[in-house]
Amino acid sequence: MNSPALPMGSQLQRSGPELHLEQVSLSQMAREHGTPLFVYSKAAMLQALAAYQRGLSGRRSRIHYAMKANSSLAILQVFAQAGCGFDIVSGGELTRVLAAGGEPGKVIFSGVGKTRAEMRQALKAGIGCFNVESLPELAVLNEVALELGTTAPISIRVNPNVDAKTHPYISTGLKGNKFGVAHEVTVQAYQQAAEMPGLRVVGIDCHIGSQITDIGPYLDAMDRMLDMVEAIEAAGIPLDHLDFGGGLGIDYQGERPPQADALWAQLLDRLDARGQGQKMLMIEPGRSLVGNAGVCLTEVLYIKPGEQKNFCIVDAAMNDLPRPAMYEAYHQIVPVHERATPVLTCDVVGPVCESGDWLGRDRSLSAVAGDVLAVLSTGAYCMSMASNYNTRGRAAEVLVDGSQAHLIRERESAFDTFALERLL
Ligand code: LLP
């Protein structure tokens, strides 16, 4: 059987028929920990991070891991130990990142709907910056900071109205999106912020979308943002940092997004050409740091031949891997142990009672009941979006480091899923 190429940067390799992540056999992991099981490679994460570090070396800069991509504590710990800051979007994420050893001063808080309680929590923790997304939010943050007798460091998220050319659900930088402040009113928003005694203007930010595979939208967003920086500074408001958000795509299905260092070489040229290269540079990558560092192992329960279609029914489902159901996203699915059984064209589906519960459509697979499959490129936006739908406990997670495998999350039991509920 002709296997598709394994995703770039995944640290997956075959040794004979057997799929390994770094030096660890994935069949062995499935036997030891059961399925569904997420397995992550530490080396793949650090390698992805290194590309950004190379790209930004020699500059005043900080990489904030967008932890919504995968917020498991041990993953956060890897990035904290590597010196990263974090991009958070809730008070819960702040609690989590501090529990994992993240430094509050390196945390930036994004999101359109921060509550007063979350603002208070973040101000007390002493986070590095609030990325404010609207004028009413500026006013509320000002009030909360004054109540606490402090000032809140802020940047305003500007909406550059650039098409990131990605799935509409993950495109965020267009006029019709709920994110950011329209670029036409940005200077005015900065003037208002500068006059509020509870706020301290420190930067500007933008984020145009996710799974971006073209360099063009980034360059356009950079140009628009620099226009705004010039206008804001001309109005007498200095900005210390520029935050370009996240969004760089990964190889799910043969996509060839630019490498982070190549992307930054071009962005830095633009910045330098416009005389802004000395500013503190901040970024918020999520998917590109963890997406291809993870796989989800799942056992084949039944092969069900159908009149129109064959189904390969596996023990992972849309509650573990929501991206296909939500975005019709593609994830490669490969056998963990390749065998010479006949190839079947089938839909790979889970046990959840929804027709939307599919993981892959019309796949050519060589598998029989009891085999273990690996769903690839599942390090980002899978476990962090997992649910307990159908009272399915969430999967266990393992982090591989060379030849060592660490269990970083135990499998959730049915009892865990209703532990906080009360009978009448
Ligand atoms: N910064 C902000 C303000 C964001 O909203 C996001 C992602 C990021 C950074 C990180 O973007 P990344 O580097 O991961 O592309 N669940 C969807 C993706 C949602 C992205 C939301 N915002 C998916 O599975 O494709």
Side-chain angles (χ1 to χ4, degrees), residues 23 64 87 129 195 198 248 272 280 367 371 393:
Q23 275 107 69
H64 300 84
D87 172 53
C129 188
E195 281 163 18
L248 185 57
D272 289 340
M280 168 84 172
D371 281 0

Side-chain angles (χ1 to χ4, degrees), residues 388 391-395 409-421:
N388 291 127
T391 304
R392 291 170 50 88
R394 280 177 301 168
R409 184 197 297 256
E410 289 179 37
R411 183 173 305 287
E412 225 170 16
S413 72
F415 289 103
D416 293 330
T417 71
F418 59 74
L420 298 178
E421 296 177 39

Side-chain angles (χ1 to χ4, degrees), residues 66 68 87 157 170 207 210 247 284 286-287 323 327 381 385:
K68 63 172 83 69
D87 172 53
R157 174 166 175 185
I170 54 176
H207 169 81
S210 201
E284 308 165 0
R287 186 192 318 266
R323 303 191 68 256
Y327 318 110
Y381 303 112
M385 301 208 306

Side-chain angles (χ1 to χ4, degrees), residues 1 17 335 337-344 365-368 371:
M1 180 180 121
H337 185 100
E338 273 182 334
R339 44 162 85 242
T341 46
V343 173
L344 183 74
L365 268 178
S366 165
V368 297
D371 281 0

Side-chain angles (χ1 to χ4, degrees), residues 223-384:
D223 280 337
R224 301 240 171 132
M225 182 134 128
L226 291 178
D227 292 344
M228 289 184 252
V229 169
E230 283 166 11
I232 295 159
E233 295 198 321
I237 303 166
L239 299 172
D240 183 55
H241 79 240
L242 308 180
D243 174 351
F244 290 102
L248 185 57
I250 61 169
D251 169 15
Y252 285 105
Q253 194 179 7
E255 296 92 331
R256 285 289 171 269
Q259 295 297 293
D261 45 357
L263 169 69
W264 273 94
Q266 291 205 33
L267 289 174
L268 289 174
D269 280 350
R270 276 292 154 111
L271 264 177
D272 289 340
R274 295 189 56 174
Q276 297 285 0
Q278 77 299 343
K279 286 222 158 49
M280 168 84 172
L281 303 176
M282 316 221 302
I283 51 170
E284 308 165 0
R287 186 192 318 266
S288 53
L289 293 180
V290 292
N292 272 336
V295 301
C296 181
L297 305 183
T298 182
E299 186 182 318
V300 177
L301 300 175
Y302 304 102
I303 301 288
K304 178 174 173 180
E307 255 176 51
Q308 292 186 356
K309 269 193 172 212
N310 300 310
F311 294 99
C312 172
I313 304 173
V314 297
D315 67 356
M318 65 188 288
N319 72 299
D320 307 294
L321 298 166
R323 303 191 68 256
M326 273 185 89
Y327 318 110
E328 303 200 313
Y330 180 95
H331 289 270
Q332 261 198 65
I333 304 175
V334 299
V336 160
H337 185 100
E338 273 182 334
R339 44 162 85 242
T341 46
V343 173
L344 183 74
T345 301
C346 56
D347 280 10
V348 181
V349 300
V352 162
C353 298
E354 299 256 0
S355 297
D357 181 28
W358 57 276
L359 305 181
R361 286 188 167 142
D362 299 319
R363 301 301 176 90
S364 299
L365 268 178
S366 165
V368 297
D371 281 0
V372 176
L373 303 178
V375 186
L376 308 187
S377 311
T378 49
Y381 303 112
C382 292
M383 191 59 177
S384 60

